[in-house]
């Protein structure tokens, strides 16, 4: 079998189906610091810049959103979680910032394995219940398969 003619380069974007676009924009911009980059109103897609990646928000009642079926809810999700790399990782400052925005930290790990090795993480939820992992810089020790 031939190897793929390309190499993995990182996460380009993630698409989240949301029930209230304004509420989700406030969360991703004000709580997590994402920046609006492009609004594709005709298809119901708002794109936010998060570092080198994009987070796309698709209202469930929009053109693209309707393709995904029912809205996410307490018994179902569109994904398990989204891991967002953040720098720096000042645990106390992050906790205070999230609390100021009424965001509950569901789990807090000293060391989780991610794209940059073992590093600190916090787990929260966005307004639609999607799991968000805020991942600090790892130790650089990457596992070899």
């Amino acid at each position: 079998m031939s190897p793929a003619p390309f190499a993995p380069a990182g996460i380009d974007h993630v698409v989240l189906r949301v029930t209230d676009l304004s509420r989700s924009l406030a969360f991703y911009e004000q709580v997590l610091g994402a920046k609006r980059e492009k609004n594709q109103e005709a298809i119901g897609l708002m794109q936010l810049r998060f570092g080198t990646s994009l987070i796309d928000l698709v209202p469930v009642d929009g053109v693209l959103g309707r393709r995904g079926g029912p809205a996410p809810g307490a018994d179902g999700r569109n994904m398990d979680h989204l891991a967002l790399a953040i720098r720096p990782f000042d645990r106390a400052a992050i906790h205070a910032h999230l609390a100021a925005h009424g965001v509950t930290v569901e789990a807090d790990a000293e060391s989780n394995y991610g794209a940059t090795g073992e590093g600190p993480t916090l787990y929260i939820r966005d307004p639609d219940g999607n799991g968000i992992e805020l991942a600090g810089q790892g130790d650089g020790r990457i596992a070899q398969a």
Side-chain angles (χ1 to χ4, degrees), residues 16-28:
L16 300 175
R17 296 175 65 243
V18 301
T19 56
D20 182 331
L21 182 59
S22 295
R23 182 181 67 175
S24 292
L25 284 169
F27 176 81
Y28 284 96

Side-chain angles (χ1 to χ4, degrees), residues 16 24-34 48 55 57 126 132:
L16 300 175
S24 292
L25 284 169
F27 176 81
Y28 284 96
E29 290 175 322
Q30 296 169 18
V31 177
L32 298 181
L48 306 174
I55 298 171
L57 302 177
D126 77 3
I132 306 290

Side-chain angles (χ1 to χ4, degrees), residues 51-78:
T52 60
S53 301
L54 292 175
I55 298 171
D56 295 350
L57 302 177
V58 178
V60 295
D61 59 354
V63 175
L64 291 178
R66 286 190 298 270
R67 295 181 189 170
D75 296 327
R77 303 272 179 262
N78 293 322

Side-chain angles (χ1 to χ4, degrees), residues 80-139:
D80 181 71
H81 74 277
L82 162 66
L84 298 174
I86 61 171
R87 309 291 186 268
F89 195 93
D90 178 335
R91 192 175 305 279
I94 295 167
H95 271 273
H97 173 71
L98 294 172
H101 286 278
V103 177
T104 301
V105 174
E106 293 189 349
D108 190 336
E110 286 298 322
S111 184
N112 252 4
Y113 188 78
T116 60
E118 293 286 338
T121 63
L122 296 175
Y123 290 88
I124 60 175
R125 293 208 177 269
D126 77 3
D128 285 286
N130 293 306
I132 306 290
E133 177 183 358
L134 300 176
Q137 177 66 46
D139 61 11

